[in-house]
Amino acid sequence: MDLVPARLSEVLAEGWGVRAALMEYVPEGGGSHHWKVVDQRKQTHFVTVDDLDNKDWMANTREPVFHGLGRALRTAATLRDEAGLEFVVAPVPAHDGDLLHRVDGRYTVSVYPFLAGRSYPFGPYTDARLRDRALDMVIALHQATPAVRGGAPPHTPRFAGRRDLDAFLADPGRPWNAGPYSEPARQSLVSHTADLVQLVAGFDRLVESTAPAREHLVITHGEPHPANLMSVEGRLFLIDWDTAALAPPERDLSLIATTPSDGLDRYQQASGLEVDPHVITLYRLRWYLDDVASAVRLFRNGHHDTVDTRRWWDGLAPRLEQLPRWLGVLG
């Protein structure tokens, strides 16, 4: 990441009046960069920097991404302030009322309350009680759709890193030399080329075949997995709303409840909606391809040996090991 911390400090001071005394980088999350910032008044803030070049699931160029990200964050604020969803952790407005400021042409910054509480590891829900509480939040979120229908961005079922993945699949033998993990990553991927081609084609077919079943839209969070939950003094909060969008309910349910026994029946009874298992499969597959293609994008382009890149490198082989299972799901 080529963002200069001094420039970030300037934007925080100019936009929010936050004059940083201490800035600590927090290596969490997959699509944004985060800092814990203590200001000169000893107040603590959680600061998020988004890379407009790293959200191609939203749009292909910086200005539409900036516009879409702003709509998503305003949606979160509306859900909290007007729809009364107290579990929504929305950004703090800057002095001019905006929730998002440009740091430069590529990066944006938003400021959040710092939550001192318990976080949860990324992955599937293993605690049934936590899953039930998350499902309750998703039910309430989907029921709040009328409050944001005119302002929330629409969601298109596509995955990040698609252009880089397509470029690799078109020429898997071309060496990568953009960073320390480039060529090792390419060599790990090469033996899986045929399976990846088949899986991407299956995803595209699923997008087309499920289109009629995806016509009913609700406001979705997009990533309500355990790592986006925070427990503070017994209250559960849902964080990271940059993915908020109007989409089929299966977009959220694919990460929480995919069978009757883990809450699908309860969701259908509470919402009055019938959930389509093929759409759940679409969004689960989208999540998997998003992870693989994001790794391809990272290692195919310029990068350094950092905590973030090592985490992505360590996760690449386990992700690729899941390919046969996904091909089996598609039949």
Side-chain angles (χ1 to χ4, degrees), residues 42-241:
K42 301 188 183 304
Q43 294 180 331
T44 306
H45 313 267
F46 192 77
V47 174
T48 293
V49 171
D50 283 293
D51 183 348
L52 299 178
D53 290 344
N54 198 31
K55 291 185 179 294
D56 55 350
W57 51 266
M58 185 177 287
N60 292 324
T61 56
R62 291 176 181 178
E63 288 309 313
V65 171
F66 179 71
H67 178 68
L69 180 58
R71 290 180 68 184
L73 298 187
R74 288 192 296 274
T75 296
T78 300
L79 290 166
R80 181 197 60 194
D81 299 335
E82 299 181 21
L85 299 185
E86 296 181 354
F87 59 79
V88 175
V89 181
V92 176
H95 292 324
D96 61 4
D98 287 343
L99 303 175
L100 189 68
H101 274 204
R102 298 290 278 264
V103 179
D104 54 27
R106 179 174 178 178
Y107 295 107
T108 66
V109 62
S110 50
V111 178
Y112 295 81
F114 183 81
L115 300 181
R118 177 188 177 187
S119 59
Y120 299 89
F122 177 79
Y125 283 91
T126 57
D127 182 326
R129 184 170 180 270
L130 182 65
R131 182 180 59 215
D132 287 345
R133 294 178 70 187
L135 183 60
D136 287 339
M137 288 193 294
V138 164
I139 291 170
L141 172 64
H142 293 183
Q143 291 175 340
T145 299
V148 297
R149 191 175 294 281
H155 179 261
T156 301
R158 59 183 181 181
F159 54 89
R162 176 71 187 256
R163 286 176 294 178
D164 284 278
L165 180 58
D166 285 346
F168 163 72
L169 294 177
D171 190 5
R174 173 176 292 185
W176 294 353
N177 56 11
Y181 293 99
S182 292
E183 188 57 15
R186 187 193 66 82
Q187 292 177 6
S188 296
L189 287 156
V190 163
S191 62
H192 300 282
T193 300
D195 286 346
L196 285 168
V197 168
Q198 187 177 346
L199 196 63
V200 170
F203 174 80
D204 290 341
R205 289 194 300 270
L206 201 52
V207 169
E208 183 177 356
S209 66
T210 61
R214 292 186 282 109
E215 291 181 351
H216 183 82
L217 305 181
V218 298
I219 183 60
T220 61
H221 176 277
E223 299 183 351
H225 51 68
N228 277 336
L229 299 178
M230 287 285 295
S231 181
V232 181
E233 297 180 351
R235 298 176 62 192
L236 197 63
F237 294 89
L238 188 54
I239 63 174
D240 283 1
W241 288 83

